[in-house]
Amino acid sequence: MSSASCCKSSSYGNEEKMTEIKESKLPKPPVPELSVTLNRFLEGIKAIVPGDKYQEARRLVEEYQKSGEMQKLQEFLKKYAESKENYVTGFCTNDMYLKNPLPLPINSSPFFLLPKQEFKTDDERFRFIAKFIIFSLMFKEEVDRGKLKQEFAGGQGKGNALSMATYHHFFEAYRRPGAIKDEHIFREGNRYIIVVCNNQLFQMKTPGGSGHPREEILVEELKKIEALSKQEPHYPPVGILTALNRKEWATIRERMIENDNNKESIHIIENCMFVVCMDESNEGARKQTTSKSFSDVSLEEMAHHILHGNKSGHSTGNRWFDKFIQFIVTKNGVNGIVIEHSMSEGITVLRFCENFLDFLENDEPWLSGVIRRSTEDYVTVRRLAWNISEPLAEELKKASAVTDALIDTLELNVFIFDKYGKGFPKKQKISPDVFIQLCLQLTYFRTHGKVTATYESAALRIFRFGRFDNIRASSQEAFDFSKSMLDPSQSQAEKWTKFQKAVKKQTEILLYTINGEGPDNHLLCLKEMAALHGLEEPALYQTDYYKEYLNFRLVTSQLPTTYNIKVGYGPVMPDGYGCSYNPQEDRIVFCISSFKNDPSTDSEKFAQNLEVSLMELKELCESGKTAVSTSSSRKAAVKAEAK
């Protein structure tokens, strides 16, 4: 039995605690038609696999349409879906996160870089941290009381009420490493947080019930923690273990909890509300070895620090990556949040960050009126104790070396495109998300001479306990458009026609995906039905083309905000890119990542090509409707467009 046996565990979430948010008012996600999904799968691989592989896939799909093998799994899935509030979320969370053994930093956990603060004194820094603690306690109370403001979809799904379920995970959820797969556990017990300073971990207990301690009380306790962190006993950075491969960390954890001290300390951490990391200044933590024209180097350095802590010699050991929220503040004012991504999507954390910035601006009771301040300011601080055996000390050294090597491989670019923003595609009556996705396809093609399987996170929060699916962008139409843009023999009218077809296709993909009819989740759930019923897995899932279908060398997400918040993450493939984007009215902020040790990828080059693509697409849109040519091919293209 593990050390936190009192915690409730689940493959997805603690739904019993969510009755107050009235998820039942939302529809269940639909089960798509099997034939439609199989055809969408074929569409999804057509541009990314060789022609012979595509024909092989077509033949297999035709066999499935006749044999009934997949139809049997479809019937199992329909029955399963009837018995569940949400049949999709558990399977997808397991597959994408809990079964994934890769380290959390860089490979999984995204960063949210908040506006830099100017601390003239240490007291100002401590007051800033105290404000975050107070805000978080207030936010938690709103969630617990079911008073969090209902959110509604924008964009293509505008007006639909959204699931608020994952907000309940912010302060309750913890990802515990496992030998086979990780598990989610949920906090029970007293209200307290973990504060990490100089690689030392402290438990800060706050008064029970509603309300929060006064700011000045928290400031004094944070001062105490910083002073104690410099005194003996001074333990090595145990937190670095949470940056390891999940299976390695699970093995080490099991050995650690054989000791009572370690068992108790880990139990305390697993049951905390959130983690606060008080770091040293990040100035000089990174050496910029190359000159960059397509990255804001100052923002890039701050983003690196929030994402991973700048290696074990700086602040990476001053973390505990398994907890959902880590709030990070350096002495020179760099601050932000890293989340453990399996429990919620970036957009909900972005809203949390925006509310925090509002709270800082107004410094008044937040959201639903006056929040009761605690009449009992009793706050206690306790250093967590560790028993560091010789084998464990060796594991800590190895973990530091492995994590430092991973951090060294990461290339990160914060690229701010300021020639235009989302206002331009809106004037063209094109969804800004569709427009940017096609720009990214063109950029990848320009960089690599092909398109690749692309992941764009799609929110499924219009459904009960909804989470995510994938809006695919590497369609045949996107490929044809991208190829035409680099073909000097193609006229503007021909390029414009292909672009319109790509827009139409991408809009179609976006709409059916956010309406719960994407092929990715459906295919995964069919595969899980085979496992659940002890049946042989269909041959499709072992084919090269299905593996290429899931080989996401380009992972993207739209994270819109008018606040000065930068969001990013690492690639998910060794030869891939991560690319988040925030389309504002007059500019678009991109965060592009890749791995330096793969010679085929280059974030700086990708950013450079992205700027070219954005400018060329603007020119195409401005000239496409009005360009006149005497060539018959051009006239034919314009005529076809008018029909």
Side-chain angles (χ1 to χ4, degrees):
M1 182 66 69
S2 61
S3 63
S5 57
C6 73
C7 296
K8 293 183 180 179
S9 66
S10 165
S11 62
Y12 165 55
N14 190 1
E15 294 181 2
E16 294 84 357
K17 298 190 73 174
M18 301 175 187
T19 54
E20 68 270 33
I21 53 178
K22 299 173 183 175
E23 291 285 310
S24 61
K25 290 186 176 180
L26 300 176
K28 289 184 177 184
V31 178
E33 289 296 323
L34 179 60
S35 60
V36 173
T37 286
L38 292 174
N39 285 329
R40 285 173 178 166
F41 165 71
L42 289 176
E43 287 182 349
I45 65 169
K46 190 172 184 181
I48 63 174
V49 302
D52 59 334
K53 291 293 181 184
Y54 175 72
Q55 294 304 326
E56 184 183 320
R58 278 192 65 182
R59 287 192 293 271
L60 183 59
V61 165
E62 286 171 5
E63 286 177 21
Y64 284 145
Q65 302 282 22
K66 296 174 185 176
S67 69
E69 179 185 359
M70 293 288 273
Q71 188 60 48
K72 186 176 183 180
L73 299 179
Q74 174 79 346
E75 294 307 315
F76 284 141
L77 182 58
K78 286 180 178 178
K79 289 181 182 178
Y80 182 86
E82 287 175 6
S83 66
K84 300 292 180 181
E85 295 292 313
N86 183 311
Y87 75 94
V88 179
T89 295
F91 289 137
C92 293
T93 306
N94 268 307
D95 183 71
M96 182 172 282
Y97 297 110
L98 301 185
K99 291 181 180 178
N100 187 343
L102 290 175
L104 298 183
I106 297 176
N107 296 293
S108 179
S109 300
F111 71 83
F112 298 77
L113 176 64
L114 302 183
K116 190 173 185 289
Q117 302 294 306
E118 298 297 330
F119 301 136
K120 295 177 182 177
T121 65
D122 281 344
D123 272 14
E124 287 187 4
R125 173 167 56 97
F126 293 132
R127 281 199 293 272
F128 178 72
I129 298 169
K131 287 180 190 298
F132 177 80
I133 294 171
I134 290 167
F135 164 78
S136 298
L137 293 174
M138 292 161 66
F139 191 97
K140 181 182 184 306
E141 185 176 346
E142 292 292 307
V143 174
D144 290 347
R145 293 166 58 209
K147 299 297 184 181
L148 203 58
K149 186 178 179 181
Q150 175 65 51
E151 294 175 3
F152 296 90
Q156 298 289 344
K158 190 171 183 179
N160 287 310
L162 299 176
S163 170
M164 306 291 282
T166 58
Y167 282 110
H168 284 253
H169 299 158
F170 277 34
F171 306 103
E172 310 298 318
Y174 182 92
R175 178 169 168 177
R176 181 188 287 165
I180 298 173
K181 73 180 185 81
D182 291 0
E183 66 174 322
H184 288 148
I185 61 173
F186 296 86
R187 188 186 68 83
E188 290 184 348
N190 296 327
R191 296 199 325 169
Y192 61 84
I193 65 174
I194 295 295
V195 180
V196 199
C197 185
N198 291 316
N199 298 326
Q200 310 302 294
L201 290 105
F202 296 83
Q203 178 189 32
M204 178 189 278
K205 281 190 176 182
T206 62
S210 62
H212 55 80
R214 286 177 292 125
E215 186 178 304
E216 54 267 34
I217 297 297
L218 289 170
V219 166
E220 290 305 311
E221 296 305 317
L222 291 167
K223 282 184 183 178
K224 183 190 298 183
I225 285 172
E226 188 164 87
L228 288 171
S229 72
K230 299 172 184 176
Q231 300 173 11
E232 295 295 333
H234 202 274
Y235 301 107
V238 179
I240 199 79
L241 296 172
T242 66
L244 282 174
N245 174 287
R246 303 303 291 170
K247 295 184 187 300
E248 291 178 42
W249 168 214
T251 301
I252 295 169
R253 179 187 174 281
E254 286 304 310
R255 290 201 297 265
M256 285 179 69
I257 62 176
E258 292 172 2
N259 174 270
D260 287 342
N261 265 351
N262 296 338
K263 183 176 181 178
E264 182 185 13
S265 292
I266 289 177
H267 169 74
I268 289 170
I269 297 168
E270 289 181 345
N271 280 277
C272 76
M273 289 186 287
F274 55 92
V275 176
V276 170
C277 307
M278 300 200 299
D279 288 1
E280 293 297 316
S281 167
N282 78 310
E283 292 174 339
R286 296 187 62 79
K287 294 180 181 178
Q288 193 67 41
T289 56
T290 57
S291 176
K292 292 186 176 182
S293 302
F294 290 87
S295 185
D296 185 312
V297 174
S298 175
L299 287 172
E300 178 189 321
E301 289 175 352
M302 291 189 282
H304 268 288
H305 188 87
I306 300 301
L307 181 61
H308 52 65
N310 279 323
K311 302 171 65 171
S312 61
H314 201 276
S315 298
T316 307
N318 212 55
R319 300 284 184 274
W320 200 272
F321 288 101
D322 294 355
K323 186 60 188 171
F324 179 72
I325 288 178
Q326 293 183 96
F327 180 63
I328 298 150
V329 182
T330 70
K331 288 185 176 180
N332 64 320
V334 177
N335 69 101
I337 289 173
V338 167
I339 65 162
E340 192 292 292
H341 204 358
S342 67
M343 271 304 193
S344 194
E345 274 57 68
I347 198 70
T348 56
V349 181
L350 194 56
R351 298 290 91 85
F352 174 78
C353 292
E354 290 173 346
N355 285 330
F356 172 55
L357 295 180
D358 283 341
F359 175 77
L360 289 177
E361 183 78 20
N362 300 320
D363 199 20
E364 293 175 355
W366 172 75
L367 284 184
S368 64
V370 176
I371 304 294
R372 296 186 302 278
R373 292 182 179 269
S374 176
T375 55
E376 180 189 12
D377 279 316
Y378 188 61
V379 177
T380 61
V381 165
R382 170 191 177 191
R383 183 200 291 259
L384 300 188
W386 303 97
N387 182 272
I388 309 296
S389 62
E390 283 190 29
L392 180 56
E394 283 301 309
E395 294 288 4
L396 288 167
K397 289 179 184 176
K398 289 179 188 176
S400 296
V402 167
T403 305
D404 289 351
L406 174 63
I407 291 169
D408 277 336
T409 67
L410 181 68
E411 184 183 6
L412 199 62
N413 275 49
V414 179
F415 169 47
I416 301 175
F417 177 78
D418 58 4
K419 307 298 189 298
Y420 63 87
K422 66 181 180 181
F424 177 75
K426 281 183 175 180
K427 287 179 183 176
Q428 314 304 312
K429 295 183 169 49
I430 301 170
S431 156
D433 189 64
V434 167
F435 184 92
I436 294 170
Q437 281 295 321
L438 291 174
C439 270
L440 291 171
Q441 291 301 301
L442 174 57
T443 301
Y444 192 92
F445 184 86
R446 189 186 302 279
T447 308
H448 297 281
K450 61 182 180 180
V451 294
T452 188
T454 303
Y455 190 97
E456 183 196 358
S457 181
L460 298 184
R461 291 174 61 206
I462 63 170
F463 300 110
R464 202 174 302 177
F465 300 105
R467 290 289 305 276
F468 54 86
D469 200 352
N470 175 24
I471 304 170
R472 288 189 168 266
S474 49
S475 64
Q476 183 65 44
E477 290 82 355
F479 174 66
D480 292 340
F481 151 69
S482 299
K483 193 163 57 169
S484 75
M485 291 294 287
L486 273 69
D487 184 352
S489 70
Q490 295 273 303
S491 68
Q492 284 292 90
E494 289 168 325
K495 293 175 182 179
W496 174 247
T497 299
K498 288 183 170 62
F499 175 61
Q500 286 184 302
K501 288 179 179 178
V503 167
K504 183 179 178 182
K505 187 63 181 179
Q506 189 59 29
T507 304
E508 174 194 324
I509 294 169
L510 185 155
L511 287 172
Y512 70 59
T513 305
I514 64 175
N515 285 314
E517 296 177 351
D520 287 42
N521 283 359
H522 189 197
L523 287 170
L524 172 64
C525 290
L526 291 169
K527 178 183 174 183
E528 293 293 341
M529 287 300 104
L532 197 63
H533 290 271
L535 300 174
E536 187 175 347
E537 187 175 277
L540 170 69
Y541 297 102
Q542 296 303 319
T543 60
D544 292 341
Y545 44 84
Y546 185 75
K547 291 173 184 175
E548 189 61 27
Y549 183 70
L550 300 179
N551 192 5
F552 298 118
R553 294 187 185 90
L554 182 57
V555 174
T556 70
S557 56
Q558 179 182 205
L559 290 154
T561 178
T562 57
Y563 294 70
N564 186 20
I565 303 170
K566 309 296 184 293
V567 187
Y569 42 79
V572 303
M573 303 301 295
D575 58 346
Y577 298 92
C579 184
S580 64
Y581 52 94
N582 173 15
Q584 299 177 337
E585 196 61 34
D586 298 312
R587 67 177 192 166
I588 309 170
V589 181
F590 296 91
C591 184
I592 303 162
S593 64
S594 61
F595 289 119
K596 297 175 187 174
N597 54 348
D598 192 294
S600 69
T601 58
D602 184 331
S603 294
E604 177 79 356
K605 183 179 179 182
F606 193 92
Q608 179 182 1
N609 286 338
L610 179 56
E611 181 175 66
V612 173
S613 298
L614 286 160
M615 293 307 297
E616 284 187 353
L617 197 48
K618 180 176 186 288
E619 182 184 347
L620 179 66
C621 287
E622 289 174 336
S623 66
K625 295 177 182 177
T626 58
V628 177
S629 171
T630 57
S631 69
S632 58
S633 60
R634 176 116 181 184
K635 287 179 180 178
V638 173
K639 187 176 179 181
E641 177 199 344
K643 288 183 179 178

